[in-house]
Amino acid sequence: DRAISNVFLVGYKSGEELKIILRKAMFSVLPSEWYEPFGHTILESFASGKPVIASKIGGITELIKEGENGHLFEPGNVNQLRDRINDYLSNPIKVKKMGKIARSNVKKNYKPEDHYQKLLTIYRNLMS
């Protein structure tokens, strides 16, 4: 039996339930094989101060700065994913530091009011 006691496959979560899960987590893993246009899941982890290990595909690569706020691995490459997870598990101080960097980046670059202003600019340009 290959049961793992410290990994949880939680599926879709939102709101307070998601915040509680992220608060308890050391990091998040996004093993997507789909070309994600934008990784909202990644930003949620970053906002909670958690680095992310994710597939090197689509828009995910624009959010994760290798070794700074997370790590990437080739989609479907189980060995790379395993190595990244083992690296994180054996370096909790490094993971905590990366989580702080991730949170700082979200606070600086993804403020709701900035997003709102950008959307307004797009709408105004389309209307003129």
Side-chain angles (χ1 to χ4, degrees), residues 14-54:
S14 64
E16 193 59 32
E17 186 179 19
L18 175 62
K19 288 178 186 177
I20 291 168
I21 290 168
L22 287 172
R23 200 174 304 129
K24 293 178 181 179
M26 183 178 183
F27 55 89
S28 295
V29 178
L30 183 65
S32 184
E33 292 186 352
W34 183 260
Y35 287 88
E36 306 280 342
F38 186 77
H40 186 78
T41 302
I42 294 170
L43 291 184
E44 289 173 324
S45 292
F46 286 174
S48 295
K50 307 301 177 184
V52 177
I53 299 171

Side-chain angles (χ1 to χ4, degrees), residues 57-127:
I57 193 168
I60 292 170
T61 61
E62 295 178 32
L63 294 172
I64 296 185
K65 294 179 178 70
E66 186 66 32
E68 187 176 316
N69 60 8
H71 281 94
L72 298 167
F73 66 95
E74 293 299 323
N77 189 325
V78 176
N79 293 326
Q80 276 186 342
L81 173 57
R82 181 199 62 226
D83 291 346
R84 296 291 192 209
I85 290 172
N86 284 333
D87 178 53
Y88 277 31
L89 293 175
S90 63
N91 293 295
I93 294 170
K94 172 180 147 182
V95 171
K96 193 167 190 101
K97 181 179 176 184
M98 291 171 69
K100 287 180 182 179
I101 292 168
R103 177 148 172 73
S104 175
N105 179 267
V106 166
K107 286 175 73 175
K108 178 181 173 188
N109 297 312
Y110 296 96
K111 296 177 197 165
E113 54 274 3
D114 291 347
H115 181 69
Y116 174 73
Q117 289 303 321
K118 288 176 186 174
L119 280 176
L120 278 180
T121 300
I122 291 169
Y123 291 143
R124 286 184 182 129
N125 288 339
L126 289 171
M127 291 172 60

